[in-house]
Amino acid sequence: MEVNAASPNILGESKAGYVLSNVAEVVERILTFVPTKNLLRIASVCRLWRNCARRVLRTQQRLTWLSASGSSIYQEHVLLRTMAEDLEKIYVLPQTALLMVDGENFSWPFSYRHKKARKSENEVESDPVEKLRRLLPSTCDLIGIVASGIVVTPSGSPSSPPEEHEEGEAGFSLLFPAMDGVTIRPFHFCKKSLSESAMEEAGLINNPDLKVVLMFDYETWKAGGRCFLKKLLEPLSQNNVLIVGGQVERTFSNNTTCCSPGSFGAVGLTFSGSKIQGASVLVDQDVSSLKAAEATIQRLKAANIPERNTMGFMFACVGRGHNSYNNQRNVEASAFRKIFSNIPLLGFFGNGEIGCDRIVKESYTLSETDADGLQHSFTTVMSLVHFG
C-alpha cells in the first residue's frame, strides 16, 4: 500500500520537474510572482530560467515607492530600516532612486568631511548615506534630499491618504526601473562643475525630448547662488518643459566630488521621452482654506493625465502647512487625495519653491514666465508626472 501511494507523488514530481525545466510559458508566469531580488538569484539556475527572468524584468516598468514615518526602534533613521526590510519584496530593479528624509532626525556626521579623509569601518557603518548606497544596486543612480519636513503616501497602496510630516521622523524612496520610451538622467552641479557641456550631458539643454525636470537647490542664499540658480533655470523657463522642486537643507548623490565644503549647488533628475506628461499648479501664499486649496489643485485636472504610473509631487514652504490653515494639518495633501483618488503623493517642506502653472502634453499649454517667475516663497507647488 505504501509503495502504491508513493508512486503518484513521484510521477507528479517528475512531471513538475519536466515542465519547470522545459516549458518557458509556465516558468515565466510563475516568475512574475517572485520579488526582483529573488528573481535575480533564480536566474542563475539554468539558461531557460535566466531567459524567462530577463523577460519578466523587462515587463516591470511601474514606479515603486517605499515610505516610513514615526520613530525607529533602532539607532538610525526609520527609512533605513524600512528599506532594508522592504527592498526584498519589491517587483522592480531600480535604475534611479530619489530619496527624501527629514533633516532633524537624519544623522549625517560625514556630510562635510574632507573627501580624501579615509573612514574607519565604524564610521562607514554609522554613515546613513553609505548605508543607503549599500542597500541599492551598485548600478543605481542615487539622488538624496534632506528637508525640514516630508510628505509621504504610505507604501503599498496609491490610494492611501497622504501625510504631511512637518515635524518628526519621515522619509521615502521613489524607485525608477528602466522604462521603455523614458530616459532619466541625474545631475549634481556646484559653481565649479556647472557648464553648458555638463548641462547638455544631463539633458537640460539641447534636448528636444526633455519633458520634466525635478530640481533641488541648496545654500543658494549665499553670494553667487542667485546667479547660479538663474543659469540653470533660464534655459527651461520659456521651453516646453515642466520644472518643479525647491530649496532644501542638504543633498547627496553618487557624485561625491562635486562640491567643496559649504558650497551652494543643485541636484535633480531630467525625464525625457514621448510618453511623459506633466502638469503643475502654484498654491499661492494667500490660499488659506481647504476650499481654496481644492480649487487650486483642481486645475491639475485640465491636463487629463492618466492615474496609472503617475506620481504626485508636493513641494511646500516651511511657512505653510498648519500655519496657513488656522492650525489645521494635512490640508493640502487631503485636498490632493480628494481630487486624485489613486495617485501617490510625495514631497517635502523646504525653504523655497520652484514651479508655476504649467501643462506639458502632446498639445502644450504653458505659462509665460522667466527664471525669476519660477522661484517662490510661502507657496506650494503641486504637480503630476506621468511615465506612460
Side-chain angles (χ1 to χ4, degrees), residues 20-77:
L20 293 176
S21 300
N22 294 276
V23 185
E25 292 82 357
V26 174
V27 174
E28 194 168 325
R29 175 61 177 165
I30 292 172
L31 294 187
T32 59
F33 298 96
V34 177
T36 299
K37 200 164 186 178
N38 289 332
L39 188 64
L40 295 173
R41 298 189 185 108
I42 286 172
S44 63
V45 171
C46 64
R47 180 180 297 178
L48 174 69
W49 285 31
R50 182 179 69 242
N51 293 337
C52 289
R54 287 175 176 173
R55 286 193 292 271
V56 170
L57 282 172
R58 285 197 292 268
T59 67
Q60 295 176 347
Q61 298 192 359
R62 294 195 65 174
L63 301 177
T64 296
W65 79 98
L66 302 174
S67 60
S69 61
S71 298
S72 174
I73 62 174
Y74 302 94
Q75 294 294 321
E76 60 186 10
H77 194 277

Side-chain angles (χ1 to χ4, degrees), residues 236-243 280-282 355-360 364-370 373-374 376:
L236 304 169
S237 60
Q238 298 293 333
N239 292 337
N240 296 332
V241 175
L242 179 71
I243 176 166
S280 64
V281 293
L282 187 69
C356 63
D357 283 19
R358 180 166 291 189
I359 296 174
V360 177
Y364 294 99
T365 304
L366 300 177
S367 66
E368 295 296 328
T369 185
D370 55 16
L374 287 169
H376 313 277

Side-chain angles (χ1 to χ4, degrees), residues 17 107 110 134 166 354 365 375:
S107 177
F110 306 101
R134 289 184 176 186
E166 297 180 60
I354 297 174
T365 304
Q375 301 174 65

Side-chain angles (χ1 to χ4, degrees), residues 205-357:
I205 60 175
N206 301 325
N207 179 11
D209 295 323
L210 180 63
K211 295 295 190 299
V212 173
V213 179
L214 300 183
M215 183 180 296
F216 312 105
D217 63 290
Y218 56 92
E219 304 285 347
T220 48
W221 53 267
K222 294 182 176 179
R226 183 177 178 85
C227 291
F228 167 86
L229 191 56
K230 187 172 183 178
K231 185 175 180 179
L232 275 172
L233 293 175
E234 194 66 53
L236 304 169
S237 60
Q238 298 293 333
N239 292 337
N240 296 332
V241 175
L242 179 71
I243 176 166
V244 292
Q247 187 176 117
V248 297
E249 294 184 2
R250 287 170 282 163
T251 68
F252 52 92
S253 72
N254 287 352
N255 186 358
T256 58
T257 61
C258 179
C259 295
S260 56
S263 175
F264 54 76
V267 302
L269 297 170
T270 61
F271 301 94
S272 307
S274 58
K275 293 184 177 181
I276 299 174
Q277 301 176 22
S280 64
V281 293
L282 187 69
V283 183
D284 210 348
Q285 57 184 319
D286 59 357
V287 173
S288 58
S289 69
L290 174 60
K291 184 176 180 180
E294 289 178 358
T296 302
I297 299 170
Q298 180 72 35
R299 297 205 305 265
L300 283 171
K301 280 285 189 179
N304 292 320
I305 290 178
E307 292 195 353
R308 183 187 180 278
N309 219 25
T310 294
M311 184 59 62
F313 294 103
M314 173 181 166
F315 303 122
C317 179
V318 291
R320 288 194 63 79
H322 72 282
N323 295 312
S324 294
Y325 296 100
N326 196 26
N327 216 31
Q328 294 181 29
R329 295 180 180 269
N330 224 66
V331 172
E332 292 176 349
S334 297
F336 179 90
R337 173 56 70 241
K338 183 176 180 180
I339 298 166
F340 299 101
S341 60
N342 204 39
I343 296 177
L345 182 68
L346 304 172
F348 63 67
F349 289 88
N351 302 311
E353 303 77 62
I354 297 174
C356 63
D357 283 19

Side-chain angles (χ1 to χ4, degrees), residues 55 123 172:
R55 286 193 292 271
E123 285 178 325
F172 67 84

